[in-house]
Amino acid sequence: MKAIACVPLDEISEKVQTRVDRSGGALGESSFADLFVQELLRWFKASFFTWVDRLPCQACGCKDTNPVRSAALAQPTPQE
């Protein structure tokens, strides 16, 4: 239930109802669910989701670092 608290359900419902009202009856109540999903997706992509290209380094905070990749899987040394 915590996740749904983040979603502005009233706002999305109002937008859907506005679309239904503006359609002049062309969109019926059966379309409400479909339009709701479209508005939910629009909200998610435009307002909720944030694209992250590269996370900052956990050690120094620099955003221009490349992840370290192991050339081969090996057992850790005693020092590690």
Side-chain angles (χ1 to χ4, degrees), residues 1 16-17 19-20 40 42 52-55 73 75:
M1 286 310 249
V16 171
Q17 191 59 51
R19 286 177 66 182
V20 170
L40 179 63
R42 184 175 290 124
V52 177
D53 287 327
R54 192 177 285 173
L55 294 174
L73 297 176
Q75 295 296 322

PDB file of all heavy atoms in Angstrom, residues 1 16-17 19-20 40 42 52-55 73 75:
ATOM      1  N   MET A   1       0.802  -1.198   0.000  1.00  0.00           N
ATOM      2  CA  MET A   1       0.000   0.000   0.000  1.00  0.00           C
ATOM      3  C   MET A   1       0.849   1.269   0.000  1.00  0.00           C
ATOM      4  O   MET A   1       0.344   2.326  -0.295  1.00  0.00           O
ATOM      5  CB  MET A   1      -0.927  -0.009   1.217  1.00  0.00           C
ATOM      6  CG  MET A   1      -2.077  -0.983   1.057  1.00  0.00           C
ATOM      7  SD  MET A   1      -2.897  -0.755  -0.496  1.00  0.00           S
ATOM      8  CE  MET A   1      -4.429  -0.097   0.002  1.00  0.00           C
ATOM      9  N   VAL A  16      -8.625  11.925 -16.803  1.00  0.00           N
ATOM     10  CA  VAL A  16      -9.359  10.950 -17.613  1.00  0.00           C
ATOM     11  C   VAL A  16     -10.797  11.416 -17.810  1.00  0.00           C
ATOM     12  O   VAL A  16     -11.327  11.372 -18.924  1.00  0.00           O
ATOM     13  CB  VAL A  16      -9.314   9.553 -16.963  1.00  0.00           C
ATOM     14  CG1 VAL A  16     -10.247   8.592 -17.682  1.00  0.00           C
ATOM     15  CG2 VAL A  16      -7.896   9.016 -16.954  1.00  0.00           C
ATOM     16  N   GLN A  17     -11.431  11.884 -16.738  1.00  0.00           N
ATOM     17  CA  GLN A  17     -12.819  12.339 -16.846  1.00  0.00           C
ATOM     18  C   GLN A  17     -12.923  13.532 -17.793  1.00  0.00           C
ATOM     19  O   GLN A  17     -13.874  13.631 -18.571  1.00  0.00           O
ATOM     20  CB  GLN A  17     -13.370  12.711 -15.468  1.00  0.00           C
ATOM     21  CG  GLN A  17     -14.860  12.939 -15.467  1.00  0.00           C
ATOM     22  CD  GLN A  17     -15.629  11.701 -15.931  1.00  0.00           C
ATOM     23  OE1 GLN A  17     -15.424  10.604 -15.429  1.00  0.00           O
ATOM     24  NE2 GLN A  17     -16.498  11.881 -16.914  1.00  0.00           N
ATOM     25  N   ARG A  19     -11.006  14.054 -20.379  1.00  0.00           N
ATOM     26  CA  ARG A  19     -10.906  13.498 -21.730  1.00  0.00           C
ATOM     27  C   ARG A  19     -12.214  12.866 -22.163  1.00  0.00           C
ATOM     28  O   ARG A  19     -12.643  13.018 -23.316  1.00  0.00           O
ATOM     29  CB  ARG A  19      -9.776  12.467 -21.800  1.00  0.00           C
ATOM     30  CG  ARG A  19      -8.389  13.096 -21.779  1.00  0.00           C
ATOM     31  CD  ARG A  19      -7.294  12.062 -21.774  1.00  0.00           C
ATOM     32  NE  ARG A  19      -7.238  11.289 -23.009  1.00  0.00           N
ATOM     33  CZ  ARG A  19      -6.377  10.295 -23.225  1.00  0.00           C
ATOM     34  NH1 ARG A  19      -5.502   9.963 -22.298  1.00  0.00           N
ATOM     35  NH2 ARG A  19      -6.394   9.644 -24.363  1.00  0.00           N
ATOM     36  N   VAL A  20     -12.876  12.163 -21.245  1.00  0.00           N
ATOM     37  CA  VAL A  20     -14.158  11.532 -21.563  1.00  0.00           C
ATOM     38  C   VAL A  20     -15.203  12.610 -21.856  1.00  0.00           C
ATOM     39  O   VAL A  20     -15.961  12.511 -22.825  1.00  0.00           O
ATOM     40  CB  VAL A  20     -14.615  10.606 -20.406  1.00  0.00           C
ATOM     41  CG1 VAL A  20     -16.053  10.153 -20.615  1.00  0.00           C
ATOM     42  CG2 VAL A  20     -13.690   9.407 -20.289  1.00  0.00           C
ATOM     43  N   LEU A  40      -1.923   7.123 -16.427  1.00  0.00           N
ATOM     44  CA  LEU A  40      -0.991   6.622 -15.420  1.00  0.00           C
ATOM     45  C   LEU A  40       0.403   6.464 -16.017  1.00  0.00           C
ATOM     46  O   LEU A  40       1.402   6.868 -15.412  1.00  0.00           O
ATOM     47  CB  LEU A  40      -1.491   5.295 -14.852  1.00  0.00           C
ATOM     48  CG  LEU A  40      -0.623   4.627 -13.796  1.00  0.00           C
ATOM     49  CD1 LEU A  40      -0.511   5.504 -12.553  1.00  0.00           C
ATOM     50  CD2 LEU A  40      -1.196   3.260 -13.430  1.00  0.00           C
ATOM     51  N   ARG A  42       1.560   8.092 -18.636  1.00  0.00           N
ATOM     52  CA  ARG A  42       2.053   9.438 -18.916  1.00  0.00           C
ATOM     53  C   ARG A  42       2.622  10.070 -17.643  1.00  0.00           C
ATOM     54  O   ARG A  42       3.692  10.665 -17.658  1.00  0.00           O
ATOM     55  CB  ARG A  42       0.928  10.297 -19.495  1.00  0.00           C
ATOM     56  CG  ARG A  42       1.390  11.687 -19.895  1.00  0.00           C
ATOM     57  CD  ARG A  42       0.275  12.471 -20.566  1.00  0.00           C
ATOM     58  NE  ARG A  42       0.011  11.893 -21.888  1.00  0.00           N
ATOM     59  CZ  ARG A  42      -1.175  11.465 -22.293  1.00  0.00           C
ATOM     60  NH1 ARG A  42      -2.221  11.565 -21.516  1.00  0.00           N
ATOM     61  NH2 ARG A  42      -1.328  10.966 -23.503  1.00  0.00           N
ATOM     62  N   VAL A  52      18.608   7.747 -15.129  1.00  0.00           N
ATOM     63  CA  VAL A  52      19.950   7.899 -14.579  1.00  0.00           C
ATOM     64  C   VAL A  52      20.912   7.249 -15.556  1.00  0.00           C
ATOM     65  O   VAL A  52      20.852   6.042 -15.780  1.00  0.00           O
ATOM     66  CB  VAL A  52      20.067   7.233 -13.186  1.00  0.00           C
ATOM     67  CG1 VAL A  52      21.482   7.331 -12.666  1.00  0.00           C
ATOM     68  CG2 VAL A  52      19.083   7.847 -12.222  1.00  0.00           C
ATOM     69  N   ASP A  53      21.805   8.050 -16.141  1.00  0.00           N
ATOM     70  CA  ASP A  53      22.780   7.493 -17.075  1.00  0.00           C
ATOM     71  C   ASP A  53      23.902   6.764 -16.344  1.00  0.00           C
ATOM     72  O   ASP A  53      24.244   5.649 -16.649  1.00  0.00           O
ATOM     73  CB  ASP A  53      23.384   8.599 -17.942  1.00  0.00           C
ATOM     74  CG  ASP A  53      22.390   9.089 -18.971  1.00  0.00           C
ATOM     75  OD1 ASP A  53      21.584   8.288 -19.447  1.00  0.00           O
ATOM     76  OD2 ASP A  53      22.430  10.274 -19.286  1.00  0.00           O
ATOM     77  N   ARG A  54      24.480   7.430 -15.373  1.00  0.00           N
ATOM     78  CA  ARG A  54      25.607   6.849 -14.658  1.00  0.00           C
ATOM     79  C   ARG A  54      25.544   7.304 -13.206  1.00  0.00           C
ATOM     80  O   ARG A  54      25.463   8.491 -12.937  1.00  0.00           O
ATOM     81  CB  ARG A  54      26.906   7.316 -15.301  1.00  0.00           C
ATOM     82  CG  ARG A  54      28.116   6.568 -14.835  1.00  0.00           C
ATOM     83  CD  ARG A  54      29.340   7.036 -15.569  1.00  0.00           C
ATOM     84  NE  ARG A  54      29.311   6.502 -16.927  1.00  0.00           N
ATOM     85  CZ  ARG A  54      30.171   6.836 -17.856  1.00  0.00           C
ATOM     86  NH1 ARG A  54      31.099   7.712 -17.612  1.00  0.00           N
ATOM     87  NH2 ARG A  54      30.103   6.314 -19.056  1.00  0.00           N
ATOM     88  N   LEU A  55      25.592   6.355 -12.302  1.00  0.00           N
ATOM     89  CA  LEU A  55      25.565   6.699 -10.888  1.00  0.00           C
ATOM     90  C   LEU A  55      26.920   7.260 -10.459  1.00  0.00           C
ATOM     91  O   LEU A  55      27.958   6.857 -10.972  1.00  0.00           O
ATOM     92  CB  LEU A  55      25.234   5.462 -10.045  1.00  0.00           C
ATOM     93  CG  LEU A  55      23.832   4.898 -10.233  1.00  0.00           C
ATOM     94  CD1 LEU A  55      23.691   3.599  -9.454  1.00  0.00           C
ATOM     95  CD2 LEU A  55      22.797   5.886  -9.770  1.00  0.00           C
ATOM     96  N   LEU A  73      36.794 -14.238 -13.615  1.00  0.00           N
ATOM     97  CA  LEU A  73      36.387 -14.543 -12.259  1.00  0.00           C
ATOM     98  C   LEU A  73      37.539 -15.263 -11.559  1.00  0.00           C
ATOM     99  O   LEU A  73      38.037 -16.273 -12.025  1.00  0.00           O
ATOM    100  CB  LEU A  73      35.134 -15.409 -12.248  1.00  0.00           C
ATOM    101  CG  LEU A  73      33.886 -14.764 -12.849  1.00  0.00           C
ATOM    102  CD1 LEU A  73      32.745 -15.768 -12.863  1.00  0.00           C
ATOM    103  CD2 LEU A  73      33.496 -13.552 -12.031  1.00  0.00           C
ATOM    104  N   GLN A  75      39.413 -16.153  -7.525  1.00  0.00           N
ATOM    105  CA  GLN A  75      39.238 -16.194  -6.085  1.00  0.00           C
ATOM    106  C   GLN A  75      39.933 -14.993  -5.464  1.00  0.00           C
ATOM    107  O   GLN A  75      40.984 -14.554  -5.930  1.00  0.00           O
ATOM    108  CB  GLN A  75      39.849 -17.475  -5.518  1.00  0.00           C
ATOM    109  CG  GLN A  75      39.142 -18.751  -5.983  1.00  0.00           C
ATOM    110  CD  GLN A  75      37.709 -18.794  -5.476  1.00  0.00           C
ATOM    111  OE1 GLN A  75      37.414 -18.391  -4.359  1.00  0.00           O
ATOM    112  NE2 GLN A  75      36.799 -19.263  -6.322  1.00  0.00           N
TER     113      GLN A  75
END
